[in-house]
Structure formats: C-alpha cells, structure tokens
Amino acid sequence: MDLRSEISMEKLPEHIAIIMDGNGRWAKSKGKARVIGHREGVKSVREVTEVAARLGIKYMTLYAFSTENWNRPKFEVNALMNLLVETLRKEVPTLNKNGIRLESIGDISALPKKSQNALEQAKEKTKGNTKMSLIIALNYSGRDEMVRTVQKIAAKAKDGVVKVDEINANFISNELDTKNFPDPELLIRTSGETRISNFLLWQIAYSEFYFTPVYWPAFRENEFYEAIIDFQQRERRFGKISEQL
Ligand code: FPP
C-alpha cells in the first residue's frame, strides 16, 4: 500500500522528536553484536531524515546519546562515539544535497574532543541549509538541560540582567537548549517501551506520543508514514473542548 499518499500535507507536524530505541535487541534477535544494531540504526537515521526533509517536516530531533548512556560498557560508549564521528563526516554532503542543517542539544563540552570537532564541523558546513533542521541530542537529558538552564537564569538574575518576576514560561523556553526550535507536536518511541526516559521534558507538554513495537533499525520510510498518519487522525485540543476548535 502506498502510505505516502495517505498523508495530508496541510496537517504535517512541524517538529518530530524520536527516541530511537531497540538497536541492541534488534541485533540480539539476529544473533549479532549490539554494535551491529547501532550501525543498522544509522541506516534508519539516514532514511527517516531524508524522507522527513522530502515531506516538508521542518525540525526533527533524534535522541542519539543520553546523559545516562555513559553508564554503558566502555566498549559500547566508544563504539557509539566513533559511529557518530564517522557518520557526521560521511553524511555532510548528503545533508547539503537535501538542504538539511545539522544542530545539536545537550552538553557537548563533555564529549570526546574528536566528537566535538566532527559535530562543530558538520554544523558549520550545513548552517546555510534551510529545508529542515536535524537536531541531534547528545549527552542530553531533560533534567540536565533544566539544571543548566536554571543555573544560567539564576546567574542572570544575580547580575541584574533579568528581574525575578520577569521569569515566565516564555523566558524559560528561550533559555533552553531548544530555544531556536518550536516544541515537537509528535514524539515517537520505537521498540515497545512506553517511557519518556528524560527526553525533552519541558518541550513535550502538548506533544502527541506514538509508541511502536518496531525496533529502531527496522523503523524505515513506511513505519515513519504510519506514525504521521496516526498523528493526523488525532484531535489536539490544548485543554479546550472539541466544539471550540
Ligand atoms: C537505543 O538502542 C539507541 C541508542 C542508545 C543510540 C542511538 C544511536 C544511533 C542510532 C547511532 C548514532 C546516531 C546518529 C545520529 C549518527 P539501545 O542500544 O538502547 O537498544 P536496546 O534497548 O535494545 O538495548
């Protein structure tokens, strides 16, 4: 079935966030090493990113490495960091060809120097692109972002740059890592887990959640269309009743 034709172009989400889960289990189910699952996951990243840009999605945020992921075996952390560097280096031409600007959220300063460099270079080389922003969450968690943001705001209040009673929701949004992006309308999590796991806690206040049992390496074009079609069938009320919409 051609799912693409079922998508209504007037009701596209502007921003889709994805918790890419299940690389390890996908690999295990095939009798392969976890790292092979991450490599196959990169192929899903590539396919979903290209499809999203072609459709006209303006922002896509991917949870690539959480602040908690440092607790994984050192071998796997290194493999993920190397995969990131390798992918960033390799994909810049494709990002440029597709008009995609690479951005990031999270505390980048704690990443290995070569990951920081690859990220900075990819950002620099794609900064002129305007079709879609691909935002990679790296060493990111929602609570860590809030802690860093509260520290920043407290310092501003102390220095008299902002008055305490001027700090409202809008002010906070403009201090977060995501200050340049709208909140996601749709949050996807793969692999059958139905948790948020410290992702974008502030920004998902009104997001629709889509959970699928499909492991991330198997989440490709059609699975992405299914998520968008499901989203488009929902009624988003923002606290109002149906008749007011
Ligand atoms: C979750 O699967 C996936 C991750 C923690 C890493 C996601 C990273 C990639 C797909 C590759 C790098 C990304 C980019 C943007 C180049 P899991 O390992 O938690 O799987 P499991 O829950 O089955 O063990």
Side-chain angles (χ1 to χ4, degrees), residues 8-198:
S8 99
M9 298 308 283
E10 320 79 62
K11 275 170 64 180
L12 275 185
E14 191 183 16
H15 184 175
I16 299 179
I18 308 182
I19 302 175
M20 311 180 287
D21 197 9
N23 293 350
R25 277 164 287 163
W26 178 89
K28 195 169 179 203
S29 75
K30 306 240 178 266
K32 295 181 173 157
R34 294 180 56 83
V35 174
I36 305 291
H38 296 315
R39 289 206 163 266
E40 200 61 28
V42 171
K43 293 187 194 164
S44 296
V45 169
R46 202 181 291 133
E47 181 163 324
V48 169
T49 301
E50 284 192 37
V51 169
R54 220 186 309 133
L55 260 186
I57 306 293
K58 298 309 277 180
Y59 304 88
M60 195 163 74
T61 301
L62 303 178
Y63 208 177
F65 195 88
S66 76
T67 52
E68 288 81 17
N69 285 152
W70 296 111
N71 297 322
R72 292 192 175 200
K74 200 166 168 7
F75 167 78
E76 185 168 339
V77 170
N78 286 342
L80 279 168
M81 289 298 152
N82 288 336
L83 191 57
L84 182 76
V85 172
E86 180 190 321
T87 307
L88 288 173
R89 294 226 171 100
K90 218 157 62 189
E91 297 300 330
V92 165
T94 318
L95 292 173
N96 282 333
K97 196 178 88 204
N98 289 287
I100 300 167
R101 175 177 185 169
L102 190 87
E103 314 221 35
S104 70
I105 55 174
D107 183 4
I108 298 308
S109 67
L111 295 179
K113 204 75 208 149
K114 71 172 192 271
S115 310
Q116 292 186 43
N117 290 342
L119 187 65
E120 287 311 328
Q121 279 190 26
K123 282 187 194 173
E124 180 61 29
K125 288 180 183 160
T126 61
K127 69 176 184 202
N129 297 333
T130 56
K131 191 157 171 50
M132 183 176 90
S133 287
L134 176 66
I135 304 143
I136 310 287
L138 279 171
N139 191 24
Y140 175 87
S141 74
R143 286 188 176 179
D144 182 66
E145 178 187 34
M146 285 186 196
V147 169
R148 287 184 285 104
T149 301
V150 168
Q151 288 174 346
K152 239 189 323 180
I153 294 175
K156 283 192 180 178
K158 184 163 159 263
D159 294 345
V161 181
V162 63
K163 295 200 187 82
V164 169
D165 59 8
E166 286 169 352
I167 301 169
N168 55 21
N170 198 33
F171 185 90
I172 293 171
S173 289
N174 285 322
E175 294 288 335
L176 291 166
D177 293 355
T178 51
K179 58 177 174 284
N180 295 325
F181 321 123
D183 290 343
E185 295 98 320
L186 171 60
L187 172 76
I188 297 171
R189 181 171 190 151
T190 60
S191 92
E193 307 295 347
T194 47
R195 299 185 284 275
I196 297 305
S197 300
N198 219 343

Side-chain angles (χ1 to χ4, degrees), residues 14 119 160 222 226 236 238:
E14 191 183 16
L119 187 65
N222 265 325
E226 275 170 11
R236 306 185 73 219
F238 304 100

